[in-house]
């Protein structure tokens, strides 16, 4: 449980020192991980319970919930191979966990996804509309082409 509390505390510190000031300045903030990660890693994979971890993180971040979460769903073995091949990337304690743990994390993200709208279940029209409304408009300042997700 210490891990979950430390991540929530670190998230609070990051929020207060970086995110809130940027939002106050009217900036768009992108985080590579936020509350969804804790729900998947500590809540599901570590077995502390998604609801329990949600409560801890809700206390830490208050009303600053993400407006949008994007999940890049890849096979854990592929992700771990990418980490091994990237010699310039720092390897952390979670990276050193066994493949079984990372498979549970992926399952955890899929459990978290059940609580939000998943673009894959929408018609092609509504999928494109949702993509343009959420991603296209939000990230219109990005200088790389963005395209809607491909049908499964």
């Amino acid at each position: 449980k210490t891990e979950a509390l430390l991540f929530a505390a670190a998230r609070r510190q990051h929020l207060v020192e970086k995110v809130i000031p940027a939002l106050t300045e009217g900036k768009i903030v992108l985080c590579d991980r936020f509350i969804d990660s804790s729900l998947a890693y500590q809540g599901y994979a570590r077995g502390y319970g998604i609801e329990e971890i949600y409560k801890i993180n809700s206390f830490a971040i208050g009303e600053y919930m993400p407006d949008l979460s994007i999940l890049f769903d890849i096979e854990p073995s592929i992700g771990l191979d990418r980490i091994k091949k990237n010699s310039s990337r720092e390897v952390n304690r979670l990276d050193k966990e066994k493949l079984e743990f990372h498979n549970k994390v992926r399952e955890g993200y899929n459990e978290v996804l059940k609580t939000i709208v998943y673009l894959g279940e929408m018609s092609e029209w509504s999928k494109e509309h949702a993509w343009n409304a959420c991603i296209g408009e939000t990230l219109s300042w990005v200088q790389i082409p963005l395209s809607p997700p491909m049908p499964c």
Side-chain angles (χ1 to χ4, degrees), residues 56-107:
I56 292 168
N57 280 271
S58 292
F59 176 73
I61 65 175
E63 77 266 15
Y64 291 96
M65 294 296 284
D67 292 323
L68 175 68
S69 291
I70 301 171
L71 173 65
F72 295 100
D73 184 25
I74 64 168
E75 290 288 332
S77 59
I78 294 171
L80 292 171
D81 285 343
R82 289 179 183 175
I83 290 169
K84 289 176 188 171
K85 290 177 183 175
N86 186 350
S87 60
S88 64
R89 183 186 181 280
E90 179 182 331
V91 176
N92 64 47
R93 187 174 52 81
L94 293 173
D95 297 334
K96 295 176 184 178
E97 291 281 352
K98 293 181 178 170
L99 180 59
E100 180 182 322
F101 173 77
H102 291 280
N103 285 328
K104 285 195 68 132
V105 170
R106 186 180 190 199
E107 289 173 23

Side-chain angles (χ1 to χ4, degrees), residues 85-142:
K85 290 177 183 175
N86 186 350
S87 60
S88 64
R89 183 186 181 280
E90 179 182 331
V91 176
N92 64 47
R93 187 174 52 81
L94 293 173
D95 297 334
K96 295 176 184 178
E97 291 281 352
K98 293 181 178 170
L99 180 59
E100 180 182 322
F101 173 77
H102 291 280
N103 285 328
K104 285 195 68 132
V105 170
R106 186 180 190 199
E107 289 173 23
Y109 275 114
N110 286 316
E111 284 298 311
V112 172
L113 274 176
K114 291 178 183 177
T115 65
I116 60 173
V117 173
Y118 175 56
L119 293 178
E121 297 172 358
M122 304 169 108
S123 71
E124 286 306 310
W125 178 88
S126 60
K127 188 184 296 187
E128 183 176 346
H129 178 74
W131 175 265
N132 289 333
C134 296
I135 307 297
E137 293 296 321
T138 303
L139 301 181
S140 61
W141 53 271
V142 175

Side-chain angles (χ1 to χ4, degrees), residues 2-76:
T2 302
E3 179 183 88
L5 293 168
L6 288 172
F7 275 111
R11 184 161 293 120
R12 177 66 188 180
Q13 181 178 4
H14 178 72
L15 183 72
V16 169
E17 293 178 0
K18 304 287 184 184
V19 176
I20 293 173
L23 291 173
T24 302
E25 293 175 17
K27 294 180 181 177
I28 293 174
V29 177
L30 300 176
C31 297
D32 64 345
R33 287 179 175 77
F34 207 66
I35 188 169
D36 297 343
S37 295
S38 290
L39 299 176
Y41 277 84
Q42 288 80 39
Y44 190 87
R46 294 276 191 232
Y48 299 137
I50 291 175
E51 287 186 31
E52 291 302 313
I53 299 304
Y54 181 82
K55 289 176 190 175
I56 292 168
N57 280 271
S58 292
F59 176 73
I61 65 175
E63 77 266 15
Y64 291 96
M65 294 296 284
D67 292 323
L68 175 68
S69 291
I70 301 171
L71 173 65
F72 295 100
D73 184 25
I74 64 168
E75 290 288 332

